[in-house]
Amino acid sequence: MVKVIASEVRKGNVLEIDGALCTVMKAESIRPGKGTPTTHIDMRRISDGVKIVKSYRTTESVERAFLDEKTYNYLYEDEMGFNFMEPETFEQISISKDLIGEQSIWLQENMACSVQLFEGTPVAIELPAKVILQIVEAEPVVKGQTASSSYKPAKLENGARIMVPPHIESGIRVVVMTGDGSYVERAKD
């Protein structure tokens, strides 16, 4: 464990709070006009999944856990969770659906993900920043829309709905950010 100041805590970090490991879901620093700047941290306790919200002065210290980070390839999903394999040793691990959460919609077969382990137990996972998916359904362009300011809804092959520019049609492959599900560009393949 190492002490870091609260303003340096980021999403995905693992902190030790009251003897329990917690994954940071959101960290926001607030600097009011008057008064002390504070950092609000939303966390989920790894052991039981309980959500915790704490506020610290930005200069206060918190305990950050050191984790092993390994690359695993996604294999498949079953009733136990999501299964991954370490590409060099072929060791397989199962990661619970709670740990991956809403990001699971972006998982693709053989996708390389960065898994953080604490004493051999997976505590956090980071997906690649971008994925390429095909549009399976896109609404037609409404006459009078300009390409610079308007977007239309579209459905991806994984079932996710995103907003895309008017020129994107069904069958086109697009690049999507896994963090917020936003359209980046048309895939170059």
Side-chain angles (χ1 to χ4, degrees), residues 135 138 150-154 156 162-169 174 183:
I135 302 283
S150 61
Y151 279 71
K152 64 181 184 179
L156 298 169
I162 64 167
M163 298 299 284
V164 296
H167 67 276
I168 301 293
E169 298 169 3
V174 294
Y183 167 85

Side-chain angles (χ1 to χ4, degrees), residues 45-173:
R45 202 165 38 219
I46 293 169
S47 60
D48 56 10
V50 172
K51 187 175 179 184
I52 300 169
V53 179
K54 289 228 179 207
S55 293
Y56 298 95
R57 280 178 273 148
T58 53
T59 55
E60 252 182 289
S61 294
V62 292
E63 294 273 336
R64 184 169 170 202
F66 270 113
L67 305 171
D68 293 329
E69 193 166 320
K70 289 184 177 180
T71 300
Y72 284 84
N73 293 339
Y74 173 66
L75 297 175
Y76 59 91
E77 177 184 3
D78 62 15
E79 64 278 348
M80 299 298 290
F82 298 93
N83 295 283
F84 292 82
M85 180 180 68
E86 207 276 322
E88 290 166 22
T89 64
F90 304 111
E91 167 198 2
Q92 291 189 19
I93 60 168
S94 182
I95 297 178
S96 74
K97 295 177 182 184
D98 293 340
L99 187 64
I100 296 178
E102 296 172 0
Q103 293 184 346
S104 66
I105 196 164
W106 305 116
L107 284 174
Q108 296 174 332
E109 197 172 310
N110 289 327
M111 175 185 276
C113 300
S114 176
V115 178
Q116 295 176 342
L117 305 153
F118 182 75
E119 296 176 355
T121 306
V123 293
I125 183 165
E126 191 175 315
L127 274 56
K130 299 173 186 172
V131 292
I132 297 174
L133 292 163
Q134 185 168 337
I135 302 283
V136 293
E137 196 179 291
E139 291 188 9
V141 177
V142 176
K143 203 168 193 157
Q145 283 184 327
T146 58
S148 62
S149 65
S150 61
Y151 279 71
K152 64 181 184 179
K155 186 176 180 182
L156 298 169
E157 62 185 295
N158 66 354
R161 294 199 165 274
I162 64 167
M163 298 299 284
V164 296
H167 67 276
I168 301 293
E169 298 169 3
S170 186
I172 293 177
R173 292 171 49 82

Side-chain angles (χ1 to χ4, degrees), residues 8-58:
E8 291 180 357
V9 174
R10 300 286 175 257
K11 180 181 176 182
N13 289 162
V14 176
L15 305 177
E16 184 179 336
I17 307 295
D18 303 325
L21 291 179
C22 300
T23 302
V24 176
M25 314 284 275
K26 182 176 149 191
E28 181 179 35
S29 291
I30 299 168
R31 291 166 177 45
K34 283 185 174 181
T36 308
T38 58
T39 300
H40 297 286
I41 304 174
D42 292 2
M43 301 170 275
R44 186 167 307 280
R45 202 165 38 219
I46 293 169
S47 60
D48 56 10
V50 172
K51 187 175 179 184
I52 300 169
V53 179
K54 289 228 179 207
S55 293
Y56 298 95
R57 280 178 273 148
T58 53

